[in-house]
Amino acid sequence: MTTKEFLGKDNFTVKNRSVSESCPSNIALIKYWGKYKDQIPANPSISFTLNHCKTNTEIEFFANESFSVKTFLAGNEEIKFAEKIEKYFRTIEPYLPWILKGKYIIKTENTFPHSSGIASSASGFGAIAKCLMKLDEEFTGKTSEEESLKKASFLARLGSGSACRSLYSGLVVWGKSDEVAGSSDLFAVKYSDAEIHPVFKDFNDWVLLIHEGVKSVSSTVGHGLMNSNPFAERRFQEARENFVPMKEILKSGNMEDFIKLVEHEALTLHAMMMMSEPAFILMKTGTLEVINKIWDFRRETNLPLFFTLDAGANVHLLFPNDGSEEQIKSFIQSELLQHTQNNGVVKDVMKW
Ligand code: DP6
């Protein structure tokens, strides 16, 4: 089904052009897990956009050549990725009617280690969508920055759901929620800065690289398994409901409740995986050891170190810069790094 609002202009002039863009990754606090046709999420999600974990992408477009895509990741040709992008470009043709009128060479690199298991699809599709909107402007004329970002978010979503949230900094919502004005299943919106307590505006996300390498089950397959998961409807409902306390917490700065909610969301995501048919587990021994140590640390010190997980074994360590961060950092170095492969940690912060 096509979405009228984003249909492209039919009068365009294609030209040889080279554009480049950069897009950060994001980490969800209320998770997107389960989707319907045309990349419609089964529930709304909210994420923090990161600062250092980014994808930088350059697209060279050769006008009026027959449609083909070549992709290079960190200098190496990636045939599988090119096939995926070719398919993606064909799906978004109604929104960018010039898109099949040329040849593409796409060069992309991540600022985080490729083998780290940090999802690159969000930053990757975010960067591609931004490049495409630059080309669109060259071929069809200028649009406002606001419209261009909104359409980039719409296009990124069709590549990878979580990517649509990476177009904005700060806290970002994707999926219709009664709690968030203007929210939509089709694109992400920035959560109003005015509704966010200052404690959330200076936050760390240190990613412990527990297991480097390819995951046993991809996100796409994992989303698909929600279709037959007997707990799915309850989960979608819970995620929708979790926006009520989340909104309250973001306003009041109640760290204790924030920690409880964010960790619950992470564990629910992995519980859904365990209750899928066939079941799968993406956490590793190190993931569980780190979680238990975080809980012990909190019990002993009362300091705000907590975790979230994406669809993998790595642990995202979240903690604010509220004066307690030095004690937390030295605990991470002395107690948690030993559970990673090769002392792997990516130190990031939220981007505002
Ligand atoms: C666990 O966006 O990678 O990170 O839409 O199939 O590309 P596709 O899936 P993807 O799923 C990410 C799921 C998650 C939670 C989240 O980011 O909200």
Side-chain angles (χ1 to χ4, degrees):
M1 199 188 76
T2 50
T3 306
K4 275 209 186 91
E5 181 185 352
F6 294 102
L7 288 178
K9 296 176 200 154
D10 279 331
N11 48 339
F12 54 81
T13 319
V14 289
K15 304 157 205 162
N16 290 347
R17 280 289 180 273
S18 173
V19 291
S20 53
E21 276 291 351
S22 168
C23 186
S25 190
N26 70 74
I27 179 72
L29 303 171
I30 293 179
K31 308 286 181 181
Y32 147 57
W33 197 244
K35 60 178 163 180
Y36 307 122
K37 209 171 151 287
D38 301 322
Q39 293 279 95
I40 298 301
N43 61 259
S45 55
I46 182 166
S47 58
F48 263 139
T49 296
L50 299 177
N51 200 26
H52 306 311
C53 290
K54 281 186 189 158
T55 299
N56 300 318
T57 297
E58 181 194 329
I59 298 189
E60 278 180 274
F61 179 76
F62 301 90
N64 298 317
E65 298 215 19
S66 56
F67 174 60
S68 69
V69 178
K70 255 184 196 268
T71 57
F72 295 84
L73 178 57
N76 301 315
E77 185 163 7
E78 293 273 336
I79 311 267
K80 278 259 164 300
F81 188 51
E83 286 168 6
K84 195 171 173 182
I85 298 298
E86 241 186 76
K87 199 169 149 210
Y88 168 60
F89 282 7
R90 289 185 199 281
T91 34
I92 59 176
E93 194 195 9
Y95 310 110
L96 301 172
W98 50 265
I99 199 157
L100 305 181
K101 309 281 185 225
K103 182 179 107 175
Y104 295 81
I105 295 182
I106 303 180
K107 294 180 188 148
T108 175
E109 54 184 34
N110 298 326
T111 59
F112 44 92
H114 178 53
S115 64
S116 64
I118 296 180
S120 58
S121 71
S123 52
F125 275 100
I128 287 177
K130 280 166 92 175
C131 284
L132 292 177
M133 285 312 294
K134 259 191 179 167
L135 288 174
D136 190 55
E137 198 166 296
E138 293 271 354
F139 305 158
T140 71
K142 208 151 175 59
T143 38
S144 73
E145 197 184 328
E146 195 188 331
E147 286 302 311
S148 173
L149 265 180
K150 186 173 168 187
K151 185 157 172 180
S153 177
F154 171 83
L155 293 173
R157 181 195 108 243
L158 295 171
S160 175
S162 56
C164 73
R165 297 187 309 240
S166 274
L167 275 298
Y168 298 96
S169 60
L171 280 162
V172 184
V173 173
W174 168 41
K176 186 87 199 92
S177 164
D178 293 341
E179 303 306 314
V180 183
S183 58
S184 166
D185 287 342
L186 302 178
F187 50 83
V189 295
K190 203 172 156 61
Y191 192 83
S192 166
D193 277 356
E195 299 295 311
I196 305 171
H197 190 277
V199 74
F200 298 117
K201 296 195 174 178
D202 194 5
F203 235 87
N204 299 287
D205 177 3
W206 284 18
V207 192
L208 288 182
L209 307 180
I210 304 285
H211 179 76
E212 303 190 12
V214 182
K215 301 184 285 198
S216 56
V217 176
S218 72
S219 287
T220 306
V221 172
H223 285 291
L225 288 171
M226 284 300 272
N227 294 333
S228 56
N229 188 321
F231 297 93
E233 276 314 318
R234 183 66 199 96
R235 157 64 196 155
F236 301 149
Q237 173 79 11
E238 187 191 58
R240 281 191 285 271
E241 287 166 4
N242 280 346
F243 270 76
V244 177
M246 182 58 96
K247 198 173 161 181
E248 194 59 40
I249 290 165
L250 291 173
K251 183 119 191 123
S252 68
N254 186 330
M255 193 57 70
E256 206 178 309
D257 287 355
F258 187 60
I259 293 173
K260 221 189 269 173
L261 186 50
V262 169
E263 289 189 345
H264 176 76
E265 275 288 322
L267 293 175
T268 304
L269 167 69
H270 284 258
M272 286 298 122
M273 297 174 190
M274 291 183 213
M275 291 189 286
S276 292
E277 173 56 44
F280 62 107
I281 301 179
L282 297 182
M283 291 188 286
K284 300 279 180 197
T285 310
T287 316
L288 298 174
E289 282 168 341
V290 166
I291 290 175
N292 279 303
K293 280 194 175 176
I294 292 172
W295 284 345
D296 287 345
F297 176 78
R298 271 217 312 275
R299 250 193 308 271
E300 283 157 22
T301 65
N302 233 344
L303 295 181
L305 169 66
F306 59 110
F307 69 87
T308 187
L309 307 165
D310 58 17
N314 296 333
V315 183
H316 287 251
L317 300 173
L318 302 174
F319 55 101
N321 287 324
D322 66 350
S324 63
E325 65 274 13
E326 287 316 318
Q327 201 178 330
I328 289 176
K329 285 177 189 172
S330 63
F331 168 74
I332 296 171
Q333 303 285 354
S334 66
E335 293 296 327
L336 302 186
L337 274 194
Q338 56 189 282
H339 299 288
T340 64
Q341 273 186 347
N342 311 315
N343 273 343
V345 59
V346 174
K347 298 176 181 175
D348 212 333
V349 292
M350 305 311 167
K351 185 176 168 62
W352 287 94

